[in-house]
Amino acid sequence: MNTKKIFILLLIISLPHLLFADIKFETGLNKQDIFLDELIEYSIKAEGDNPPDFQINAIPDFSIINQRRSMSGGSHFQMIINNKVVQSTTSSQSKTLHITLRPEKAGELQIGPFTIAFNNKNYIIEPLKVNVRNERKYKNIPEKLDKLSDNAVFLIATLSENKCYVNQPVYVDFSLFYRTRVRLSGAPQLPQFTGFQAEKIFEIEDEQNIKGKQFKVLTLRQLLYPLRKGTLEIPSAVLNLEVNYDPFWGRGNPVSLKSDPLKLEVIEPENNFIGLVSDDLKIKHKLSTKKIMEFEAFILTVELTGRFNLKSAVKLDLKLPDSIELYNSSDSVVINSDHSGLYGSRYFNYILIPRKEGEYTISTIPLKYFSARQKKFNYLNQEIKISVEKSDKTSSSTQPIMILSGGSPTVIFDKTDITYIIEKMNGASQFNIKKLKKYNLVNIIPLIAFFISLIISIFIRKLRGDTVYAKRFKASRKAQKKLKQARAFETAGKNKEAYSELYNVITQFIADKFNVGGYGLSSADINTIFSEKNVEVELTEELIAMLKKFDFKRFSPIILDKNETLEDIEKTLNILSKLERLKLK
Amino acid sequence: MKPIIIKLILILIFVFNFNAYCADKSDIKYFNIANENYNKADYLTALENYYKINNKTYSVYFNIGNCYAKLNNKGKALYFYKIAKSIKPNNDRINTNINIIRASRQDKFEIKKNAVSALTENIIDSYSLRFIFILTSVIFWCLSLTACLILFFKNKILNILIVFLGCLFIVILPFFVFKIVETDKGILIENNVKLFSEPLENSTEIAELNEATEVKISGYTDKWAEVTVADTHKGWLQKKSMLIIKK
């Protein structure tokens, strides 16, 4: 370990770790070749279970401008085929320290190595080399700064490149120089970046000496991807400040600063090229299973990794042998960003079903991309050799079924069904609200039945509890029975018995209807009852006359006329009907 | 007594729509031809034949959905799977295919629901309108019959039975009501469909939606439907851009 080159490094662990897994450290630089006045971003990523927090206080030959941290949580991904876990990926937690550096001299400089002591174990972080050119990138900037340095506060905008390709990352810096106490009033008003894909904004705090005056510098760095060729304009940004701000009074002199608009010339590597622009692009693949069986789905994942515009549409097609069927494909992306643009991986997942045993080669259709550094087109492709083993399954129409549950994609095989469609026409037809309304009418039946039962039960209770009502209710039926009996006597030639029955019918009917005793009911009694009940006089007289006649006839010694008896039966029926229709109080 | 029993059976057949379970001979013929077309990967002809079936059962809707899925018409596929699901909610095949379509569509919304609303939705989705209607009707018939008997006979068993049936009815009724008051649902059949803030083409664009996205419909005009996307975004969509599953 070169201890001379290291000033400090350290680590501070916030919590005691009981289960200590190995921590893996990875370093990275956004650029390996820079100008003397350019900034670079150095990153150290600690990955594992509960990685430590750490920071670096100084790096020889560089000034540390800024440090920021990012974290990513652990995630679990599982893929199951035929109820067996075939792919299980657990990404552990990671913490990344991003350090913005300014070179202090030209030449081939080295960052690191460093040692991190953690859990009684020393981890060595390998050194990285960076070439710093002895020339300035922003050649006219020092002159500009010299002119502006008489001001206590000023704002300048600078572009990382004056000329670039479509989809090549650039950034614009809006730098506020100040050597007095200032306070931002409101958020900075950054312009609309028309024609660009605007990405993350980085904030960098720095100090700079211009003509012997010490300025503090606050830079807002906007990462951009130009999306079309031509001269694109970046309009002015506006910063509203309070200069000479006095915290006691809580105010200063309001000043509005505006940056100059900038122009960027954007070219295409070739006419209408819409592919990727990258200097660092790699391709690799992974299979979901080591043993590939006939008729069994497997997943081929092709990973495109590197620095490129990961948000642009990328298509990666496969060249498949006839016996391999592509069932489904999907893609996903993991995006990170630093000062030099977006980086990460795009994953293309293909669900494939081999239909026949044998040795096969699957290849990706070459992906054409442009290298801005080399200024030429490159091609990237991948060849995957697979060996398909014979299976016991006889069906060639086996389909994989994908089930997504709880956020974890799971691919399973439907073992019982060899075909997707249902081959028997079974089951019910559609049942919607319209049909429901129609069928719901059936539910009125029990409702009606209940109400009828209720009415009947009330009636029965009344019959049982109210004798007067019961008598009145049963009077007609009793009278009908007796009339029937009278007819029977008449048919048998027993006219006297018939008259006796008719007499009883009338007296009994009156007794039931008017709730009086049936026996010994005289004409006078009937008269009194009927007059009390306001029965018509004619009807009363008719009834009394009939009763007298029947009373006489039933005891008459002479032979009675058969026709007359029949007529009297009819008359009795009429008089009873009239009595039935009476509304009694 | 016998004619009454026959009448009752006829009523039951009418109520439970048993005729729905009995497929017509010509329907079976078309179904089998369509299946053959499907197996020969002639999905368009298969669709023609499936459409000729008069009394479409859940299996017909499911197979129509499959044809559309094979023709990469995700919106229509999802629509027919959802109809099949409304008839047979717990069928694994239907649910699996719905999940496949949902996983493959462009718009992926994360709908955050609380445990109670998620559980309620799961319960409502797990039974069909037919099932809950039959269940509610049977309980209602039993309850009414018991009530009729109680009017004439005083009996402890009948009292217990009516309390039990009453409770059961009170428990079941909300599920029936939930199913009835469910809103219409729409499934988008086109890509790049614009969700507007008002039922006007020059109103503010809220979002751009893609095929197979599911929306809840809360109202209609002649050409527009007021929708809620992912339980959060409300707006208006043109009716022609979607298929509507009427409740």
Side-chain angles (χ1 to χ4, degrees):
Chain A
M1 185 176 80
N2 188 351
T3 45
K4 285 179 188 172
K5 286 191 177 179
I6 296 170
F7 283 145
I8 303 173
L9 96 77
L10 60 26
L11 76 109
I12 301 141
I13 294 140
S14 49
L15 288 167
H17 306 284
L18 298 171
L19 294 165
F20 302 114
D22 263 0
I23 304 290
K24 201 175 135 194
F25 289 94
E26 252 180 58
T27 53
L29 268 175
N30 69 331
K31 276 183 170 183
Q32 264 102 33
D33 190 17
I34 58 163
F35 291 92
L36 197 55
D37 58 346
E38 209 177 350
L39 299 180
I40 52 165
E41 195 173 71
Y42 173 66
S43 61
I44 305 172
K45 183 179 174 186
E47 200 173 7
D49 284 342
N50 218 345
D53 288 323
F54 52 92
Q55 68 175 57
I56 288 177
N57 291 342
I59 296 175
D61 302 332
F62 290 92
S63 317
I64 294 178
I65 306 298
N66 193 30
Q67 293 200 35
R68 67 183 172 93
R69 283 189 181 81
S70 64
M71 264 180 78
S72 68
S75 65
H76 183 69
F77 170 82
Q78 206 176 50
M79 206 169 266
I80 302 167
I81 292 182
N82 281 347
N83 298 325
K84 282 183 225 162
V85 177
V86 293
Q87 193 179 328
S88 181
T89 317
T90 308
S91 76
S92 45
Q93 245 190 333
S94 73
K95 285 177 184 168
T96 310
L97 179 69
H98 305 268
I99 309 162
T100 310
L101 300 171
R102 172 182 288 125
E104 287 174 347
K105 61 179 186 184
E108 196 176 58
L109 306 181
Q110 187 173 293
I111 305 170
F114 306 116
T115 303
I116 292 179
F118 177 60
N119 281 335
N120 304 323
K121 197 173 171 182
N122 285 340
Y123 294 91
I124 295 169
I125 296 172
E126 295 297 323
L128 286 178
K129 283 188 177 169
V130 58
N131 182 41
V132 182
R133 294 190 207 179
N134 196 10
E135 51 184 314
R136 303 189 81 85
K137 184 176 182 178
Y138 307 107
K139 282 169 188 155
N140 59 344
I141 294 292
E143 282 174 30
K144 214 174 175 180
L145 291 176
D146 284 352
K147 278 182 195 170
L148 290 165
S149 63
D150 291 339
N151 300 323
V153 179
F154 61 91
L155 176 69
I156 65 160
T158 46
L159 254 171
S160 63
E161 313 287 337
N162 293 322
K163 192 176 175 182
C164 73
Y165 294 99
V166 173
N167 251 337
Q168 188 189 350
V170 289
Y171 55 78
V172 57
D173 284 346
F174 298 103
S175 304
L176 172 72
F177 287 74
Y178 59 99
R179 54 186 170 85
T180 176
R181 190 174 271 170
V182 295
R183 181 172 167 264
L184 277 171
S185 35
Q189 294 165 26
L190 296 188
Q192 288 286 320
F193 299 99
T194 314
F196 292 95
Q197 174 187 317
E199 288 297 334
K200 202 172 173 173
I201 299 170
F202 299 93
E203 219 173 281
I204 305 161
E205 281 181 11
D206 194 7
E207 284 192 10
Q208 211 169 318
N209 195 301
I210 308 166
K211 284 166 78 178
K213 292 164 192 162
Q214 193 66 19
F215 279 89
K216 283 189 174 175
V217 188
L218 172 70
T219 302
L220 297 174
R221 177 166 287 183
Q222 171 72 62
L223 193 60
L224 299 166
Y225 278 91
L227 298 175
R228 58 177 161 87
K229 69 170 182 178
T231 306
L232 302 183
E233 197 187 59
I234 295 164
S236 311
V238 177
L239 252 67
N240 292 313
L241 309 164
E242 284 181 68
V243 182
N244 299 325
Y245 178 75
D246 189 334
F248 180 77
W249 296 107
R251 61 174 183 256
N253 302 325
V255 171
S256 184
L257 297 176
K258 196 174 176 184
S259 68
D260 293 332
L262 300 169
K263 280 184 180 167
L264 176 69
E265 198 189 335
V266 184
I267 51 169
E268 281 179 339
E270 69 176 23
N271 272 346
N272 300 322
F273 176 74
I274 50 160
L276 300 178
V277 175
S278 174
D279 293 323
D280 168 24
L281 196 60
K282 284 176 198 131
I283 193 167
K284 50 188 177 180
H285 76 272
K286 198 177 172 184
L287 290 167
S288 63
T289 176
K290 283 179 186 169
K291 196 176 177 184
I292 299 170
M293 302 294 290
E294 210 179 9
F295 308 128
E296 280 190 16
F298 67 96
I299 297 153
L300 167 65
T301 305
V302 180
E303 184 186 342
L304 203 61
T305 182
R307 284 186 173 275
F308 59 101
N309 187 355
L310 283 128
K311 292 183 181 172
S312 65
V314 191
K315 213 178 160 199
L316 194 67
D317 289 323
L318 293 182
K319 240 188 248 172
L320 289 171
D322 289 344
S323 302
I324 309 281
E325 186 191 318
L326 174 66
Y327 174 68
N328 201 357
S329 65
S330 62
D331 66 318
S332 56
V333 66
V334 174
I335 304 174
N336 301 303
S337 63
D338 62 18
H339 293 199
S340 291
L342 302 178
Y343 65 96
S345 299
R346 190 173 267 277
Y347 299 92
F348 298 88
N349 294 306
Y350 306 93
I351 301 177
L352 302 170
I353 309 164
R355 295 295 185 200
K356 215 173 168 185
E357 61 171 322
E359 302 284 329
Y360 300 101
T361 304
I362 299 168
S363 56
T364 57
I365 289 171
L367 180 79
K368 186 180 177 183
Y369 72 99
F370 183 74
S371 166
R373 197 190 297 155
Q374 296 169 345
K375 292 190 172 40
K376 65 165 193 173
F377 285 100
N378 293 322
Y379 291 87
L380 207 62
N381 73 324
Q382 182 85 337
E383 282 201 346
I384 304 122
K385 289 192 173 164
I386 60 160
S387 173
V388 179
E389 291 178 30
K390 197 163 176 59
S391 164
D392 300 336
K393 288 181 181 170
T394 50
S395 168
S396 60
S397 59
T398 310
Q399 302 276 4
I401 289 172
M402 182 178 275
I403 292 174
L404 289 175
S405 56
S408 305
T410 306
V411 178
I412 61 155
F413 241 99
D414 188 356
K415 282 178 178 174
T416 51
D417 283 313
I418 55 154
T419 174
Y420 239 167
I421 51 169
I422 298 169
E423 291 188 315
K424 274 186 184 174
M425 193 174 153
N426 49 13
S429 60
Q430 205 185 353
F431 188 83
N432 51 21
I433 292 285
K434 261 188 194 174
K435 281 191 180 175
L436 177 83
K437 279 178 187 167
K438 195 171 91 183
Y439 293 127
N440 213 10
L441 291 175
V442 178
N443 284 333
I444 294 172
I445 296 170
L447 215 60
I448 294 168
F450 174 74
F451 283 114
I452 292 170
S453 305
L454 190 68
I455 292 161
I456 294 170
S457 71
I458 291 167
F459 177 69
I460 291 171
R461 266 178 220 163
K462 201 167 183 184
L463 278 185
R464 282 178 190 160
D466 189 346
T467 15
V468 178
Y469 181 81
K471 268 183 168 181
R472 269 187 203 160
F473 180 74
K474 287 172 185 171
S476 302
R477 211 177 292 171
K478 265 165 97 179
Q480 273 175 3
K481 268 186 187 174
K482 285 186 182 289
L483 271 175
K484 210 175 170 184
Q485 187 63 41
R487 277 183 213 277
F489 284 135
E490 187 276 329
T491 317
K494 297 175 179 175
N495 287 356
K496 284 182 184 173
E497 282 82 354
Y499 276 109
S500 180
E501 203 62 42
L502 287 176
Y503 183 86
N504 286 337
V505 166
I506 294 170
T507 50
Q508 189 61 53
F509 187 80
I510 291 167
D512 287 345
K513 266 292 189 204
F514 298 91
N515 194 27
V516 289
Y519 292 103
L521 198 66
S522 65
S523 302
D525 294 336
I526 291 169
N527 218 344
T528 318
I529 294 163
F530 276 34
S531 62
E532 274 174 13
K533 301 280 179 187
N534 295 330
V535 180
E536 287 172 23
V537 182
E538 283 173 13
L539 182 64
T540 316
E541 283 172 356
E542 191 187 346
L543 187 78
I544 290 168
M546 273 180 85
L547 278 175
K548 278 181 180 169
K549 184 184 173 185
F550 295 164
D551 195 30
F552 174 75
K553 292 268 183 184
R554 63 178 172 162
F555 300 114
S556 173
I558 55 166
I559 297 163
L560 298 169
D561 183 7
K562 194 174 180 177
N563 289 336
E564 197 187 349
T565 315
L566 274 173
E567 264 177 38
D568 286 336
I569 291 172
E570 284 310 308
K571 278 182 185 170
T572 312
L573 196 63
N574 282 336
I575 204 106
L576 289 180
S577 302
K578 283 178 187 171
L579 286 173
E580 182 68 45
R581 283 198 292 273
L582 283 177
K583 283 181 183 172
L584 304 173
K585 285 177 185 174
Chain B
M1 196 68 184
K2 276 182 184 173
I4 294 169
I5 294 167
I6 292 164
K7 276 177 194 171
L8 270 172
I9 291 167
L10 285 173
I11 289 168
L12 279 173
I13 290 169
F14 176 67
V15 173
F16 301 141
N17 192 21
F18 283 152
N19 62 339
Y21 294 88
C22 312
D24 192 79
K25 270 186 185 175
S26 65
D27 283 354
I28 291 171
K29 191 183 124 195
Y30 286 128
F31 186 79
N32 291 334
I33 295 169
N35 286 358
E36 276 172 32
N37 295 327
Y38 182 92
N39 288 328
K40 286 174 193 164
D42 186 359
Y43 304 117
L44 286 172
T45 321
L47 272 175
E48 263 178 44
N49 285 309
Y50 284 130
Y51 277 122
K52 282 177 190 167
I53 297 168
N54 288 320
N55 193 12
K56 291 185 185 69
T57 62
Y58 85 91
S59 49
V60 178
Y61 288 118
F62 177 81
N63 291 358
I64 292 175
N66 272 6
C67 289
Y68 280 119
K70 287 280 180 189
L71 293 166
N72 202 25
N73 211 327
K74 290 172 195 165
K76 285 185 179 172
L78 187 59
Y79 170 76
F80 284 101
Y81 288 143
K82 294 276 271 184
I83 292 179
K85 188 181 163 74
S86 73
I87 303 167
K88 205 145 179 144
N90 294 317
N91 186 290
D92 286 345
R93 285 176 161 205
I94 300 169
N95 290 330
T96 301
N97 286 8
I98 286 174
N99 287 333
I100 289 171
I101 299 288
R102 281 179 177 162
S104 67
R105 67 187 169 195
Q106 256 179 285
D107 295 335
K108 289 181 171 64
F109 301 106
E110 255 187 56
I111 303 170
K112 283 175 186 169
K113 284 180 183 165
N114 60 43
V116 178
S117 66
L119 184 72
T120 318
E121 215 158 275
N122 277 346
I123 293 170
I124 294 168
D125 277 352
S126 65
Y127 57 83
S128 67
L129 182 61
R130 181 194 299 274
F131 169 77
I132 197 73
F133 170 66
I134 292 171
L135 190 66
T136 318
S137 298
V138 167
I139 294 169
F140 184 66
W141 275 66
C142 293
L143 188 69
S144 306
L145 188 71
T146 318
C148 290
L149 290 172
I150 274 185
L151 290 172
F152 301 103
F153 309 103
K154 283 182 181 171
N155 189 317
K156 267 190 181 176
I157 294 168
L158 284 177
N159 288 341
I160 294 166
L161 192 64
I162 200 158
V163 171
F164 171 71
L165 288 168
C167 293
L168 205 61
F169 189 69
I170 289 165
V171 172
I172 294 292
L173 197 63
F175 290 96
F176 182 52
V177 175
F178 277 140
K179 208 74 187 173
I180 293 171
V181 297
E182 252 188 323
T183 54
D184 288 352
K185 280 168 189 165
I187 292 163
L188 267 64
I189 50 168
E190 289 170 9
N191 277 323
N192 308 321
V193 177
K194 281 161 187 162
L195 180 73
F196 291 100
S197 62
E198 304 288 334
L200 295 166
E201 274 185 62
N202 54 2
S203 64
T204 315
E205 265 182 54
I206 298 170
E208 198 170 76
L209 305 171
N210 288 300
E211 196 185 7
T213 299
E214 292 159 83
V215 295
K216 282 181 185 171
I217 301 170
S218 47
Y220 296 98
T221 66
D222 284 351
K223 289 182 182 174
W224 297 82
E226 190 183 17
V227 301
T228 310
V229 188
D231 285 348
T232 50
H233 292 72
K234 271 196 169 185
W236 291 83
L237 286 176
Q238 285 194 324
K239 275 187 194 170
K240 65 178 181 188
S241 60
M242 61 180 160
L243 289 173
I244 297 167
I245 304 172
K246 297 243 179 200
K247 62 183 177 186

